[in-house]
Amino acid sequence: MSEKKQDAFENARSQIKKAYDIMNTDNFQEWFLELISVPKRIIELQIPLQMDDGSFKIFPAFRAQHNDARGPFKGGIRFHPDVSRNEVKALSTWMTMKCAVIDIPLGGGKWGIIVNPKELSIRELERLSRAYVQALYKYLWPKTDVPAPDVNTTPQIMAWMMDEYSKLVWEYTPGSFTGKPLSSGGSAGRGQATAQWGVYVLDKILELRNDSIKGKTLCLQGAGNAGLTMAKLMVEKWIKVIWISDSGGGIYNKEWLDIEEISKLKQNKKSVTDYTWDAEKLDAKEVLYKECDVLIPAALENQITGDNASKVQAKLIMELANGPITPEADEILAQKGIDIIPDILANAGWVMVSYFEWVQNDQNFYWTAEDIQEKLKNRILQSAENVFDRAQENKTTYRVWAFIVALERIHAAMKDRGEL
Ligand code: GLU
């Protein structure tokens, strides 16, 4: 496997190119493809931090602002030891596509800091979060660039960052960050709503395929908050979760797994392999190769690649993580007849609720969890139907059509604004 194929940014670019080559680009500016294939701006910085023991450490960090033709740059902040410049570029590209495919007036961006937050004390984490805002706040504003949580970043971190930003600009500015706790301008219904979106997408796509969600078996890779909440909601819809894995390993029972117990284990910072009911324990990656109706990769990028795609036996895959399947694997899975509900549609509930939060912060008037649910449901049904109908008409994958829908909207905005 060449390294290039594992590079998330190359993957994102090749997904754009594939859609571009298929779509009708007669009225497109020829340099659009080139422009949309790179972030508008990338900021790379070093954050020095004094640790609790008095020593100093330097944390490299990035901010990629991919595209803002449809609205402010929008996207999460990742704290992870494997963060790289190219990963952040890829994630910012997917954010632009995601916001366009669900038709919200936002662009795409992403932040990343190379750090293992589990090795920091709570005070070190707070200082690092604030230091990052101090270094970057001139590039932020609710109408310019609005970050949010991503892997390993929490509502508490968003509250610190929003607080730091508000102090620096001398104005309480809740709309500067989304994904905040309720006490600091967060949105009602966030936890449930992001997972709920995935359930709605799956339900709708199965319905459009004249199938039903009831009785389906589910394998879940990654037992983070969004994945587990979604699994709980799926169980309510009579889906059977038979496989779950986290970085410590995987558990399997062909009849069912007790999601409540697994949630408790995770809350207590344990692995799913500490599960006490009857289950087979296997290697974490094996979850990708089990026979099941629906496979949900909910961990990191590049999980299903050209090397292992042929081993996948699921009937349908829904990407809850960003970029878990490489373009090479896409081809292999398509040949095997395995459809993929792509990340930019399937996990968009996260940014959709961020959008609702940002609107509420702007108007300083807050909606109920029921309002959020209702708004969310309407948006997802429209977005899923739009992608599904066009993929059906034109016999290509959901991913390609999701990208085409997004690219058409972004091109229109760039053209009308005179950027092209
Ligand atoms: N990090 C999330 C994502 O990848 C949410 C981003 C946001 O809400 O801005 O979609």
Side-chain angles (χ1 to χ4, degrees):
M1 170 75 35
S2 70
E3 210 167 279
K4 196 170 167 227
K5 285 279 181 277
Q6 300 291 358
D7 181 327
F9 184 52
E10 282 309 320
N11 293 345
R13 285 158 67 96
S14 111
Q15 289 166 346
I16 292 177
K17 175 87 171 63
K18 189 166 177 192
Y20 191 84
D21 286 346
I22 292 176
M23 68 197 286
N24 178 357
T25 52
D26 290 352
N27 296 321
F28 273 40
Q29 287 295 353
E30 58 193 284
W31 54 91
F32 171 67
L33 178 63
E34 213 176 309
L35 269 184
I36 199 68
S37 301
V38 282
K40 228 176 176 179
R41 178 190 286 142
I42 304 178
I43 303 157
E44 186 167 346
L45 55 155
Q46 311 289 342
I47 305 175
L49 192 74
Q50 184 163 26
M51 310 305 282
D52 291 348
D53 65 4
S55 64
F56 268 95
K57 270 196 188 157
I58 294 179
F59 295 92
F62 309 92
R63 176 66 181 163
Q65 297 181 326
H66 180 262
N67 188 282
D68 63 348
R70 291 173 41 86
F73 301 108
K74 185 82 193 82
I77 308 170
R78 183 169 292 199
F79 282 8
H80 199 278
D82 296 338
V83 160
S84 68
R85 187 182 170 94
N86 269 12
E87 184 193 45
V88 174
K89 281 160 74 175
L91 291 162
S92 71
T93 310
W94 287 320
M95 284 309 303
T96 302
M97 301 300 143
K98 200 181 294 189
C99 294
V101 83
I102 60 170
D103 207 6
I104 53 177
L106 293 166
K110 202 82 178 191
W111 295 31
I113 303 187
I114 305 180
V115 57
N116 183 354
K118 292 177 190 122
E119 288 171 0
L120 300 187
S121 73
I122 187 84
R123 287 297 142 224
E124 287 166 345
L125 190 63
E126 176 173 353
R127 284 201 299 278
L128 181 65
S129 305
R130 290 184 185 273
Y132 196 30
V133 177
Q134 286 157 16
L136 275 176
Y137 82 98
K138 291 254 154 111
Y139 295 92
L140 303 178
W141 189 47
K143 300 279 161 63
T144 313
D145 186 331
V146 189
D150 194 75
V151 174
N152 288 334
T153 42
T154 57
Q156 173 63 79
I157 293 177
M158 295 308 115
W160 289 329
M161 289 187 165
M162 182 278 284
D163 178 71
E164 191 63 30
Y165 182 84
S166 297
K167 284 178 177 147
L168 287 162
V169 300
W170 284 69
E171 192 177 319
Y172 175 58
T173 319
S176 52
F177 289 80
T178 60
K180 304 177 295 297
L182 269 180
S183 61
S184 328
S187 177
R190 170 172 271 273
Q192 182 91 351
T194 49
Q196 184 74 62
W197 175 279
V199 182
Y200 285 147
V201 178
L202 184 64
D203 202 14
K204 187 69 198 168
I205 294 279
L206 286 170
E207 183 199 310
L208 292 167
R209 291 156 67 105
N210 297 323
D211 200 347
S212 145
I213 200 167
K214 213 168 163 184
K216 291 274 180 287
T217 52
L218 174 84
C219 290
L220 179 69
Q221 186 211 27
N225 218 357
L228 276 184
T229 314
M230 186 192 275
K232 269 192 226 164
L233 296 173
M234 296 253 185
V235 170
E236 282 167 23
K237 286 250 174 197
W238 295 100
I239 276 216
K240 290 201 293 185
V241 180
I242 58 168
W243 242 106
I244 275 198
S245 68
D246 59 20
S247 53
I251 50 170
Y252 169 64
N253 180 320
K254 72 174 182 341
E255 293 307 323
W256 75 295
L257 291 173
D258 184 349
I259 299 296
E260 290 299 329
E261 175 174 3
I262 295 167
S263 301
K264 277 191 202 126
L265 287 173
K266 297 305 293 183
Q267 271 160 22
N268 293 320
K269 305 217 174 323
K270 291 194 172 148
S271 163
V272 294
T273 53
D274 293 311
Y275 188 70
T276 53
W277 295 81
D278 180 28
E280 201 181 321
K281 291 178 186 163
L282 288 164
D283 186 72
K285 245 197 161 158
E286 291 289 311
V287 70
L288 299 170
Y289 317 135
K290 281 281 155 189
E291 230 173 274
C292 62
D293 294 311
V294 186
L295 168 64
I296 302 191
L300 293 173
E301 304 91 76
N302 296 334
Q303 298 301 304
I304 306 181
T305 65
D307 285 341
N308 64 358
S310 60
K311 294 198 229 164
V312 174
Q313 299 192 63
K315 298 199 179 81
L316 180 71
I317 304 179
M318 184 162 86
E319 296 178 321
L320 195 58
N322 288 309
I325 303 179
T326 64
E328 216 180 346
D330 256 2
E331 301 286 331
I332 299 169
L333 295 169
Q335 277 159 22
K336 285 171 66 116
I338 303 173
D339 286 332
I340 302 163
I341 308 178
D343 46 7
I344 59 169
L345 180 65
N347 70 27
W350 217 352
V351 70
M352 182 56 96
V353 183
S354 280
Y355 167 57
F356 293 155
E357 184 176 330
W358 178 71
V359 170
Q360 293 171 84
N361 291 153
D362 191 43
Q363 64 188 12
N364 210 3
F365 178 79
Y366 288 81
W367 303 328
T368 63
E370 289 72 34
D371 292 334
I372 300 280
Q373 282 287 334
E374 193 51 39
K375 290 183 169 53
L376 196 75
K377 191 162 187 181
N378 293 338
R379 301 299 287 244
I380 182 54
L381 299 186
Q382 276 164 21
S383 312
E385 237 165 282
N386 194 3
V387 169
F388 179 87
D389 289 348
R390 295 188 69 181
Q392 284 304 99
E393 263 168 45
N394 297 280
K395 297 272 168 287
T396 179
T397 64
Y398 299 143
R399 184 176 333 271
V400 167
W401 269 106
F403 270 82
I404 293 178
V405 168
L407 291 171
E408 285 171 353
R409 290 183 178 148
I410 300 159
H411 183 273
M414 289 175 78
K415 190 153 181 264
D416 290 345
R417 289 185 63 172
E419 288 187 23
L420 289 172

